[in-house]
């Protein structure tokens, strides 16, 4: 039976129409209060936030020009490095892990390396302390990519503060959203000031900002189970039917990155929605934990969770199976079922045809294998217990 509703692939904070009638709110202040950071800077995207971070790192280390990122991450990260004219190196993940493989990282560290970007994927917390240990006193900046993990903490503190700089994404579907947007924080206030200075030089009035306002209104109207069938479900079906999984999950991006400042109205909308975020994250956590237990009871199923001291957030449940064949069987049955089952990234970075010109051809077997054996289950409040149980039964029978 065809369902009418379409569950979004991640648990974005449900927008409210009343958010749109916000007067100017102070989004940086709302976020830094919520995150418990000294300050925060709002940018026009997570990608733009990463670019600011890299530019400030470069101001301090002008002779270094190489950025190391994990092989399993968002293609926009590679595009950001490329857009700045920096060199990209990738490092494999540890086996069956979302953490960077430390041996692979160690082997790549030299005096060209400007920054390492440990990445908190899918709400999980990555081990930044281990990366910091490796680069200690070398002048290499540690930039935490927390695009997918706004609200996660380690030992009671927001992620993004263990390294030098941390950034979050406010893109559609990523927790709190202003349709496009980003937030950047820094351990040392001087780094934040340096980023603010670069950001203040960006244009305020831009054609992009106007477009983003319209898109945010659209998002507020359509980010609901029924309209999601039209705005998300149908394009997804079309892409999968023409055999284009990269297009299906929206993993294909233009090479030039819009850079401007986020306008006051969108910041106000974000600040108003941000008030609901802590409660929402707690509710999502309470929903996720028993579901993880249910999944973990299925033989051959692994779900990434928190380790000691980590308190991640739960936009999705990131599931890894024992074989690619089984994963593909699950997706054949569920990807188009409207039940919020999807994938985080289709490939490891070196395996994207569209990134061939900007990503070095490095062999990253662990990342490639993780991409081939994993999928995500939405932790959206709209995925009810019965539907979740239906997903579990498909996984069991695959
Ligand atoms: C989405 C994402 C980004 C980029 O953020 P945007 O706000 O979409 O520019 C960077 N890194 C990761 C891991 C992401 O998922």
């Amino acid at each position: 039976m065809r369902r009418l509703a379409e569950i979004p692939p991640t648990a974005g904070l449900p927008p409210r129409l009343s958010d749109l009638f916000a007067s100017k709110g102070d989004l940086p202040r709302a976020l830094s209060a919520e995150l418990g950071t000294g300050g925060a800077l709002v940018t026009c995207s997570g990608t733009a936030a990463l670019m600011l971070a890299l530019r400030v790192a470069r101001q301090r280390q002008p002779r270094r020009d190489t950025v190391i990122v994990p092989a399993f991450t968002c293609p926009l990260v590679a595009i950001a490095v490329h857009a700045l004219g920096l060199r990209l190196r990738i490092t494999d993940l540890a086996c069956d892990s979302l953490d960077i493989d430390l041996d692979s990282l160690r082997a790549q560290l030299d005096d060209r390396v400007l920054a390492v970007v440990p990445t908190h994927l899918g709400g999980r917390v990555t081990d930044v302390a281990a990366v910091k240990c490796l680069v200690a006193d070398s002048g290499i900046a540690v930039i935490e990519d927390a695009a997918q993990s706004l609200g996660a903490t380690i030992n009671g503190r927001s992620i993004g503060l263990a390294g030098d700089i941390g950034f979050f994404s406010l893109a559609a579907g990523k927790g709190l959203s202003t349709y496009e947007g980003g937030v950047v924080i820094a351990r040392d206030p001087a780094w934040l000031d340096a980023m603010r200075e670069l950001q203040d030089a960006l244009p305020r009035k831009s054609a992009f900002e106007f477009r983003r306002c319209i898109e945010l209104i659209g998002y507020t109207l359509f980010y609901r189970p029924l309209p999601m069938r039209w705005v998300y479900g149908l394009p997804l079906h079309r892409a999968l039917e023409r055999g284009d999984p990269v297009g299906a999950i929206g993993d294909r991006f233009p090479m030039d990155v819009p850079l401007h400042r986020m306008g006051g109205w969108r910041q106000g909308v974000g600040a108003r929605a941000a008030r609901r975020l802590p409660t929402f994250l707690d509710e999502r956590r309470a929903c996720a934990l028993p579901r993880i237990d249910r999944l973990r009871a299925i033989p051959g199923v692994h779900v990434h969770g928190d380790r000691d001291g980590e308190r991640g957030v739960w936009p999705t449940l990131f599931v890894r199976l024992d074989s690619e064949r089984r994963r593909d069987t699950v997706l054949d049955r569920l990807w188009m079922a409207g039940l919020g089952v999807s994938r985080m990234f289709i490939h490891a970075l070196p395996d994207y045809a569209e990134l061939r010109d900007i990503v070095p051809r490095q062999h990253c077997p662990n990342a490639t294998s993780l991409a081939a054996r994993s999928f995500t289950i939405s932790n959206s409040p709209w995925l009810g217990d019965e539907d979740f149980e239906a997903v579990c039964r498909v996984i069991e029978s695959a």
Side-chain angles (χ1 to χ4, degrees), residues 45-47 73-74 76-77 119 121 145 147-148 167 169 171 174 180-181 345:
S45 67
T47 310
T73 190
C74 179
L76 284 167
V77 171
T119 302
L121 286 173
D145 180 344
Q148 302 185 353
F167 71 94
S169 168
K174 280 189 182 165
E180 285 282 10
F345 307 116

Side-chain angles (χ1 to χ4, degrees), residues 57-75:
R58 192 94 203 274
Q59 285 177 347
R60 273 137 220 261
Q61 297 282 346
R63 285 216 289 273
R64 296 174 178 264
D65 68 351
T66 299
V67 182
I68 302 184
V69 310
F72 191 62
T73 190
C74 179

Side-chain angles (χ1 to χ4, degrees), residues 114-130:
L114 174 69
V116 180
V117 187
T119 302
H120 304 278
L121 286 173
R124 311 282 37 85
V125 176
T126 195
D127 188 355
V128 179

Side-chain angles (χ1 to χ4, degrees), residues 12 74 110 144 166 169 180 195 218 222 280 292 354 374:
C74 179
D110 59 33
E144 294 180 47
S169 168
E180 285 282 10
M195 287 190 283
F222 295 126
F280 178 71
I292 293 173
E354 34 283 279
S374 59

Side-chain angles (χ1 to χ4, degrees), residues 92-263:
D92 204 0
L93 301 181
C95 183
D96 287 343
S97 166
L98 294 173
D99 290 319
I100 284 177
D101 179 64
L102 295 175
D103 292 327
S104 157
L105 176 59
R106 192 182 294 112
Q108 299 198 55
L109 294 178
D110 59 33
D111 54 14
R112 292 196 74 160
V113 177
L114 174 69
V116 180
V117 187
T119 302
H120 304 278
L121 286 173
R124 311 282 37 85
V125 176
T126 195
D127 188 355
V128 179
V131 172
K132 270 191 66 176
C133 257
L134 274 191
V135 305
D137 303 322
S138 63
I140 299 174
V142 175
I143 299 174
E144 294 180 47
D145 180 344
Q148 302 185 353
S149 302
L150 178 68
T153 62
I154 170 95
N155 300 322
R157 264 174 103 218
S158 172
I159 55 168
L161 293 169
D164 297 291
I165 296 177
F167 71 94
F168 307 92
S169 168
L170 304 179
K174 280 189 182 165
L176 179 66
S177 181
T178 50
Y179 197 78
E180 285 282 10
V183 187
V184 60
I185 59 177
R187 190 162 37 87
D188 177 350
W191 287 58
L192 197 61
D193 289 341
M195 287 190 283
R196 185 171 288 119
E197 204 168 297
L198 293 174
Q199 155 105 345
D200 285 348
L202 297 176
R204 179 178 287 286
K205 290 268 173 281
S206 104
F208 273 107
E209 183 57 30
F210 178 71
R211 184 170 143 190
R212 297 296 182 236
C213 290
I214 305 292
E215 286 167 332
L216 180 55
I217 294 170
Y219 181 75
T220 307
L221 294 174
F222 295 126
Y223 193 79
R224 298 153 201 282
L226 289 176
M228 278 296 279
R229 159 133 317 250
W230 301 96
V231 296
Y232 166 73
L234 282 183
L236 170 80
H237 283 222
R238 285 204 196 104
L240 288 178
E241 272 154 18
R242 59 169 192 266
D244 175 18
V246 174
I249 68 160
D251 245 2
R252 191 173 289 124
F253 302 95
M255 283 291 157
D256 42 31
V257 183
L259 295 175
H260 58 101
R261 282 178 280 171
M262 190 191 291

